[in-house]
Structures are given as C-alpha cells and as structure tokens.
Amino acid sequence: MTASALLDGGPAAAQERAFPALDGLRILAATAIVVSHVAFITGTSSSDTGIGASALAHLEVGVPVFFVLSGFLLFRPFPLAAVRGDAAPDTRAYLWRRALRILPTYWLTVIGAVLFLPVNEGTNAGKLLQHLALVQVYGDEGPIGGLDQMWSLCTEVAFYAVLPVLAAGLGRLSRGRAARPWPALLALGGLAVAGPLFLYLVRLHPWGYHPMHLWLPSFAGWFAGGMALALLSVADRGWAPVRVVRALGRHLVVCWAAAAVLYWVACTPLSGPYTFAQPTPVESVTRNVLYMGIAVLVVLPLVLGQEHGGLVRRALSGATARRLGEVSYGVFLVHMPLLAGFYAWLEIPVLTGPPIPVFVIVWGASVAIAACLYVAVERPVRRFRSLVPDHGRTPRAEPAVHPAPGDLAVEPTK
C-alpha cells in the first residue's frame, strides 16, 4: 500500500490536499485488508465455502484500491506540470521523499517481527536483508513470519522506481497535446491489457518457486487505472473522455453500485478459489481485471466528481477520517505481526478463534501503535526531506477543486 504523501512535501503532498476524501478511503481500504486477514486466520473465510466467507476473503480488494491511489496521486504532478508549462517534479527529490516516508517505519516493523515473533527465531541475515531492502518477492525463501502482506509494498516500491521513467515516456508521447493527451491514455490502456497478460503467462508457465505473480507487471493495470484518472483530472474539460468520466464521477452511488456488482462477481467461482488452492490462469486474470474495475470505480467519484460535495465525501474528508487516514500506513504494517503474535503468545490454533473480538483487538491495537509510530517516527523524519532539494521550479499550489457549471444539481444526498 502507499503511505500518505502529506509528509513528503512537494507536488505529491499537493495532490493529497486537493482530494481530502482520499484519506478516509485509505483507512477504509486498510481496514478491509485487516478484516480479510482476520477472517482467514480465524477460519471464517479459509474453512468455509459460502458466499459470506468469500465476501470476507475478497476484502483483499483494499490492495488494488491502494495501487490505484498510488497511480493517481504520485503520477498526477507530472501531467499537471505539463499542462501548466512547469518543470516536471525532480526525480531525486521525489524518490528521497518516498523512501523517507515509507522505510523508517517499515524497517522498525520488520525488526520487531524478527525479534518478538516466536516463528522467526533463527531468521538468517540474508533473509532479513532481503526484507529490509524490499526485494523478498524476487527470491524463493518466502516471507518472514507476520510479514506476508509486505509483498504489496515490494510492488509499490517497484512502481515508485519506474514512475519517473514511465511519466517521462508518456509525456513525450503526448508532447504538444498536454490538454488532450490521447496517446498517453492509449498507452495506459495498453498497460491495462499487458498486466493481465503477464499474469496469465506466469500462471500458465510458473518459473520455479519465484512468486512472479506478485511482481509489478502483474498489477500494471491497477496502477495504470489510477494514472489514467490522473491524466483525465488535469485534461481539458471539453475533451470527450473527460466529459464522460466527469459525468460518471458526479454519481457516487452509481459508481459504487457498479463496483459492488463487480465485487459480487469476484466472490463467485469465476475468480477462482479463496482458500489454499491455486487459481487457474484464467481465474487469476478474471480476479485481477475485476479488482481493477472495482478499485477504479471506487476512486473515480472522489477525484473526478464533486470532490468536496455530498455526505459520503464530507465524511471521508472529516477530521476523524483524515487522522485515521494519516496512520493507515502504520495500520497496514503492524496488523499482521500483531495478528501472528496474538495467536502465538496465547497459543491459539490457527484457523480458529472468534472473528469479531479478534478483529476489534487487532484493529484497535494497530491503530494505537500506528498513531505512536506516526508521532514518534513518521512526522519527525520529515525534517530530513530537504537533504535532497528539489531543483525543479517550485510548483504553484494546487487550486481548490470546484464543480463545473451544472454539476451541483446532480447528487444532493451522497
């Protein structure tokens, strides 16, 4: 998952401030991931085959929501600079701020899991270094106990690394067409196709024990979905694709209802098993594409609709939601070590236990620890972000987002 960019400073932080409802969405996505893991370890989803168990298991859809958010928030400064005629964000400063934002807390979590979880006694230095460098998904040793969810952070970091190059390439494709960047939009559509194709080939011809299905190319479509929303959010409002997505984005209920339908489909056997069995190549691709559609539809009305209007958007951008959103990265990091430790220390057999009390304890403890980490680590380290200065032109502040004429009459209650 991606950590909030508010502490990064620079262009990425401006995107967060311009779309405040995304903070609330971030904690909802993190909570969905916690629920899916609690449902699995308690046996609520992993030992049942009903639709309810399937619905709990597929709350892992919080991961594609985070990937779409990363694509949108981190890529958007690049096309925005092109439209304004500003210099592109400085690559060194961008990478330094991202590293400063995610690594210190992550490293503490990894070290804590190795030191305090009984399952990790005897962890060798090589495996520890792989995890500290976020390259464990490129080996065949498997994750350190309690850190299974960190595969998605490895994929996020890979996206961070390639984004400046990808953004530069898309910028060249649409040179002179910044207001209507149809070549870049077509290229992102190609990525949305290439991702599932890569996943299909990996599932069809697995390469030893390397988890290639967890590598960045498998999820290219998820990031591309967020990047496409970013392009459309800064493009000419008179351009036909922009008019279409903005018309759809004004109807939050319609977007989220469509996402719910896709989620229901994902909970059927079409997307494969959700227990220990491996999905077929077709099932893997089906789930991947459905998750991409769900995540894009969930994010769309929060960035291309009435960004500041309606009850749902106001709730997601309220003070409580924003504070929880700021610590959601820590919640994602610590909930699995806490869950593993809870079961190990109390000697509870895996695939047993009451799901609701376990969720309440783990989620509450995760929020509390994440808040402490935010205050003690994440906020203080931001003072070092100036060590790598941004040599590009200082971007103008992101303007407040206002609905276009006629938008106010569309959705009065949501």
Side-chain angles (χ1 to χ4, degrees):
M1 66 158 290
T2 185
S4 168
L6 284 175
L7 296 184
D8 289 18
Q15 313 311 308
E16 297 266 357
R17 289 190 292 268
F19 303 97
L22 298 185
D23 265 337
L25 181 60
R26 184 178 280 110
I27 188 59
L28 289 182
T31 299
I33 294 170
V34 175
V35 172
S36 70
H37 289 151
V38 168
F40 179 83
I41 200 169
T42 60
T44 308
S45 65
S46 52
S47 303
D48 196 355
T49 57
I51 189 66
S54 179
L56 290 173
H58 284 89
L59 285 175
E60 63 180 4
V61 75
V63 174
V65 170
F66 279 122
F67 283 9
V68 169
L69 287 176
S70 288
F72 177 82
L73 291 168
L74 299 179
F75 173 63
R76 191 171 184 268
F78 293 91
L80 184 61
V83 168
R84 292 176 169 177
D86 290 338
D90 184 87
T91 298
R92 292 177 303 169
Y94 150 75
L95 291 174
W96 170 246
R97 287 167 175 164
R98 277 284 87 189
L100 200 63
R101 182 67 184 90
I102 67 168
L103 289 178
T105 312
Y106 168 72
W107 285 339
L108 286 175
T109 305
V110 172
I111 293 170
V114 170
L115 291 178
F116 297 111
L117 292 183
V119 70
N120 292 325
E121 291 181 8
T123 298
N124 62 67
K127 191 170 185 177
L128 174 60
L129 289 174
Q130 281 187 346
H131 281 71
L132 292 176
L134 281 164
V135 296
Q136 62 265 34
V137 296
Y138 307 111
D140 56 5
E141 295 187 37
I144 288 174
L147 301 178
D148 306 66
Q149 84 281 23
M150 299 304 186
W151 72 264
S152 64
L153 193 55
C154 296
T155 303
E156 284 265 9
V157 167
F159 173 70
Y160 299 162
V162 304
L163 178 59
V165 177
L166 182 57
L170 292 173
R172 290 191 182 94
L173 277 178
S174 298
R175 183 171 293 169
R177 301 185 181 91
R180 299 191 174 195
W182 61 264
L185 202 57
L186 288 178
L188 290 173
L191 282 178
V193 174
L197 178 60
F198 176 88
L199 179 60
Y200 178 83
L201 294 175
V202 166
R203 287 295 194 185
L204 190 64
H205 302 291
W207 182 30
Y209 294 100
H210 294 79
M212 294 177 67
H213 63 287
L214 300 180
W215 293 4
L216 174 61
S218 295
F219 309 102
W222 298 2
F223 290 107
M227 293 170 71
L229 293 179
L231 271 181
L232 294 170
S233 72
V234 302
D236 178 7
R237 290 197 175 205
W239 190 30
V242 176
R243 291 202 309 270
V244 171
V245 294
R246 284 195 176 274
L248 180 60
R250 290 195 296 265
H251 300 271
L252 184 145
V253 172
V254 172
C255 290
W256 285 16
V261 170
L262 293 182
Y263 187 77
W264 177 82
V265 176
C267 292
T268 69
L270 285 174
S271 66
Y274 53 88
T275 53
F276 295 101
Q278 291 295 315
T280 67
V282 171
E283 290 169 343
S284 293
V285 169
T286 300
R287 183 181 302 186
N288 184 283
V289 173
L290 287 171
Y291 279 5
M292 176 175 61
I294 293 166
V296 169
L297 284 168
V298 167
V299 174
L300 171 60
L302 303 181
V303 299
L304 282 164
Q306 295 176 354
E307 289 85 351
H308 298 271
L311 294 177
V312 170
R313 296 180 184 92
R314 287 198 295 271
L316 291 175
S317 58
T320 300
R322 299 195 73 173
R323 289 191 180 96
L324 288 172
E326 288 175 350
V327 304
S328 60
Y329 175 57
V331 171
F332 168 80
L333 292 180
V334 305
H335 82 276
M336 280 294 284
L338 282 175
L339 194 54
F342 182 74
Y343 268 67
W345 299 326
L346 297 182
E347 299 182 345
I348 303 173
V350 176
L351 303 182
T352 65
I356 294 178
V358 171
F359 166 75
V360 171
I361 293 171
V362 170
W363 188 87
S366 297
V367 170
I369 294 173
C372 292
L373 289 171
Y374 184 79
V375 172
V377 180
E378 295 177 50
R379 282 174 55 183
V381 299
R382 65 180 174 176
R383 71 186 66 172
F384 300 111
R385 65 193 185 195
S386 61
L387 292 178
V388 180
D390 190 340
H391 292 296
R393 262 186 293 168
T394 302
R396 285 170 278 175
E398 178 75 18
V401 181
H402 298 289
D407 288 0
L408 295 176
V410 177
E411 190 193 4
T413 59
K414 286 289 179 180

